[in-house]
């Protein structure tokens, strides 16, 4: 488990899943770098992490759509000793109907969920290799397992990110690093608050606990809560000629 | 995209409301929502009745704004967001020798709820009410943000115990209490009747005292129970605090009269004649029911109500009549609590007064509503009052005169919120703010 000689970079730290995760690594005494766009909110979360036991907690600007915001975070992390870990919680999910009405929204969805975080991790990877260890947690979504009429743009971005993570895992393993791909089902966050038809909704704290367990055990891909593995197993195995007529 | 149509219930599950609820996770989002118009907020809905409920209007769930914004280990002054459960605050800083000075009977109550009801704990006779330890409150009133301290006398007193009517509490500073640890030496002894209870409370010397009362007992045994006295001791509890939960609604017979009588008999006899002393993690005596999640489901689908009143010391014998009425009704549940309160209170509408407080749960069936209203009248005639955090059934005229500072409170809140945008179901039901303006002008923020 994490200790004061570890640093966690948390991207998208204003989300409730990221907050729950940050609290847990803070309680273990880690050094946390909370990265996101709402600086007031990040400052509040940094104070909270400090109160909960973080060795240090810092708020830093990160915008998935602005690659210029990446380097200062990496530089800050490089100044820390010990392992550098990174948990990626960034993402955005406009509804499919919003995207249908304004197709140009796709670019932002891809940047937030895939290319932004991937570009960041690409910059971080050499540092993990240099230090001979460190864990990357990439939070994707079960939506990335199969394109569905309800949110296939979001799903495709998450799928791209998942493929990127598997490649990064392949690379970092050689240097002693590790990558955990996390596929949460429905989680009770601001993103899903007003979405209809949610079921088996998990608390962010539960997801954070599952992620930390997976980090400890060096798991490669986890579904959280675990039963989503079986739900998605079924969904992935529906033949395409049937699936294309379904709306789930 | 912020609003979700939701049915909300008070802890007793006998009061419900249907309305649009937003649950902001960032202060910027909270401010944005409120800039479009003021509305009520709620915490963990641990109030039993309709205090946290708002029908057919918008309201805010504050539980995701639950961070510690600052903590000074040297002075014990802590700044927290309003949605933080008070139990978390206790767990977080006990190892650094600081505890919340006042904790209600559940650790799930949020700081916002503890302020808005000016809650009391088992040490009320020593340290007073929660609001007396609050040094600063950040309020959001529509598109305005205000930071108030006890020096802003009227607005502060209208906010503490003020049922959320002065605006949404975003954060507050609390002066914590130094402690040697979070273990408690707990002494329990049997009390055979009400007079013995009164005497025991007069003689009590410990910081924490509370009485469990067998509300089914009659005759010679009327008012019998168990007195618990506790004192915090050194050592820190590191147990995992595993919880259980009640997965579904219990059937109606679960809390029927014979079962409650049997339970109470056993509960009474659990404590040996000679009394007993033990050392426990503070959470056990502080939050005895929190170990079982959703214990409110034990009352079945219809839910339950709690009656809680306080009567002045010189009218303490009115409690005997109340207990007679309760035991005769056959409606009492095992949950009944007696406690001697001090005079400490921090707001115009704060519940505490020097005297005795009695709290009893009643399953929501038969004549329970009628019984509670009867008890409410008895409390009023005794010069006492009922606790809004628990009420879901009283009528407006029954409240008249119970809160002597109600006019002062009305003046402040009606000035801050002239359109009654902050009015919750309880405030409306009891007409606490006086006649509402004809209509709520649409889109106007208070
Ligand atoms: C098992 C149990 C034991 C209890 N024991 C005690 C006890 O010993 N002593 C005692 O005093 N009380 C006790 N209570 C009552 C409880 O402490 C109060 O009802 C408390 O207010 C609940 O906090 P909450 O966060 O659930 O608030 P809610 O019930 O959600 O709301 C209570 C009130 O506060 C307002 N409010 C909440 N948050 C905000 C905010 N951020 N801004 C503005 N207004 C807000 C609401 O509008 C409402 O009027 C007990 C309750 C239970 C369930």
């Amino acid at each position: 488990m994490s200790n004061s000689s570890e640093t966690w970079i948390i991207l998208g730290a204003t989300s409730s899943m990221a907050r729950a995760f940050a609290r847990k690594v803070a309680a273990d005494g880690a050094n946390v770098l909370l990265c996101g766009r709402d600086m007031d909110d990040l400052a509040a979360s940094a104070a909270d992490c400090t109160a909960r036991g973080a060795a240090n907690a810092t708020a830093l600007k990160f915008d998935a759509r602005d690659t210029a915001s990446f380097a200062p975070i990496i530089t800050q992390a490089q100044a820390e000793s010990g392992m550098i870990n990174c948990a990626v919680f960034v993402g955005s999910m406009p509804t499919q109907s919003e995207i249908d009405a304004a197709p140009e929204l796709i670019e932002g969805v891809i940047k937030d969920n895939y290319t932004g975080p991937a570009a960041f991790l690409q910059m971080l990877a050499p540092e993990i290799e240099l230090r001979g260890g460190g864990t990357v947690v990439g939070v994707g979504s079960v939506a990335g397992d199969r394109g569905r009429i309800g949110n296939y743009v979001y799903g495709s971005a998450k799928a791209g990110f998942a493929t990127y993570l598997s490649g990064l895992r392949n690379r970092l393993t050689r240097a002693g690093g590790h990558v955990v791909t996390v596929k949460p089902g429905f989680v009770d966050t601001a993103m899903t608050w007003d979405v209809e038809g949610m079921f088996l909704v998990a608390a962010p704290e539960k997801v954070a606990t599952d992620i930390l367990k997976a980090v400890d055990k060096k798991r490669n891909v986890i579904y959280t809560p675990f039963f989503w593995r079986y739900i998605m197993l079924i969904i992935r195995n529906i033949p395409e000629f049937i699936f294309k007529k379904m709306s789930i | 995209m912020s609003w979700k149509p939701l049915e909300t219930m008070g802890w007793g599950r006998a009061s419900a409301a249907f309305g649009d609820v937003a649950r902001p996770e960032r202060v910027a989002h909270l401010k944005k929502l409120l800039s479009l118009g003021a509305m009520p907020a709620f915490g963990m809905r641990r109030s039993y009745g309709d205090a946290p409920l708002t029908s057919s209007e918008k309201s805010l769930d504050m539980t995701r704004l639950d961070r510690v914004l600052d903590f000074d280990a040297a002075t014990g002054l802590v700044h927290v967001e309003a949605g933080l459960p008070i139990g978390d605050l206790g767990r977080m800083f006990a190892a650094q020798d600081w505890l919340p000075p006042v904790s209600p009977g559940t650790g799930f109550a949020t700081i916002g709820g503890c302020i808005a009801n000016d809650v009391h704990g088992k040490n009320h006779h020593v340290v007073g009410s929660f609001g007396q330890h609050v040094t600063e409150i950040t309020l959001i009133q529509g598109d305005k943000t205000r930071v108030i301290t006890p020096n802003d006398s009227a607005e502060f007193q209208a906010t503490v115990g003020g049922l959320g009517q002065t605006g949404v509490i975003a954060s507050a500073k609390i002066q914590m209490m130094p402690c040697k640890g979070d273990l408690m030496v707990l002494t329990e002894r049997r009390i055979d009747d009400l007079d013995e209870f009164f005497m025991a409370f007069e003689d009590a010397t410990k910081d924490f005292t509370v009485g469990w009362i067998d509300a089914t007992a009659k005759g010679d045994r009327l008012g019998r129970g168990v007195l618990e006295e506790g004192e915090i001791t050194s050592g820190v509890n590191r147990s995992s605090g595993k919880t259980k939960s009640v997965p579904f609604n219990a059937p109606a017979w679960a809390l029927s009269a014979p079962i409650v009588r049997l339970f109470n008999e056993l509960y009474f006899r659990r404590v040996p004649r000679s009394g007993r002393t033990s050392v426990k993690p503070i959470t056990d005596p502080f939050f005895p029911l929190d170990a079982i999640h959703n214990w409110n489901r034990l009352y079945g689908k219809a839910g339950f109500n709690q009656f809680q009143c306080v009567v002045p010391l010189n009218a303490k014998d009115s409690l005997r009549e109340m207990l007679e009425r309760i035991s005769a009704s056959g409606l009492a549940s095992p949950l009944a609590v007696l406690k001697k309160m001090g005079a400490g209170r921090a707001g115009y509408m704060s519940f505490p007064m020097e005297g005795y407080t009695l709290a009893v749960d009643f399953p929501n069936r038969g004549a329970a509503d009628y019984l509670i209203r009867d008890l409410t009248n008895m409390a009023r005639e005794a010069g006492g009052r009922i606790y809004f955090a628990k009420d879901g059934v009283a009528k407006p005229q029954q409240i008249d005169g119970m809160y002597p500072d109600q006019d002062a409170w009305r003046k402040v809140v009606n000035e801050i919120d002239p359109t009654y945008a902050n009015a919750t179901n309880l405030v409306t039901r009891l007409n606490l703010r006086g006649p509402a303006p004809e209509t709520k002008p649409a889109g106007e923020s208070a």
Side-chain angles (χ1 to χ4, degrees), chain A residues 14-16 19 23 38 41 44-45 47-48 51-52 188-190 193-194 204, chain B residues 1-4 6 21-23 25-26 28 64 66-69 84 92-93:
Chain A
T14 56
S15 82
S16 47
R19 248 189 226 173
R23 281 180 170 181
D38 183 338
D41 185 71
S45 287
D48 186 59
R52 284 167 199 266
D188 188 12
T189 63
W193 172 246
D194 60 345
Chain B
M1 65 163 240
S2 313
W3 301 103
K4 170 151 113 179
L6 207 63
V21 177
R23 189 187 58 188
E25 294 184 343
R26 293 178 298 116
R64 284 288 165 101
D66 62 348
R67 289 168 294 189
V68 175
L69 301 175
L84 182 75
M92 250 194 265
F93 300 116

Side-chain angles (χ1 to χ4, degrees), chain B residues 10-11 39-48 50-54 60 62-63 82-85 102-122 139 162-171 286 289-290 295 304 306 308 335 341 351-352 387-390 422 424 426-427:
Chain B
W11 182 245
M39 68 191 95
F42 60 83
M44 289 290 277
R45 278 174 276 136
R46 251 39 184 202
S47 299
Y48 284 63
D50 52 358
L53 310 184
T54 307
L60 295 168
M62 297 294 289
T63 55
L84 182 75
V102 172
S103 289
T106 173
F108 292 113
T110 66
I111 299 303
C114 288
I115 294 173
N117 273 322
D118 195 11
V119 299
H120 57 271
K122 296 179 173 65
L139 281 174
L163 299 160
Q165 298 309 295
T166 57
V168 174
I169 300 164
S171 66
F286 262 17
L289 293 164
D290 285 359
W295 61 261
F304 64 108
Q306 183 174 101
Q308 181 170 6
L335 241 146
M341 288 192 127
F351 170 69
Y387 192 8
F388 297 130
K390 310 298 176 72
N422 294 331
T424 56
L426 176 131
V427 168

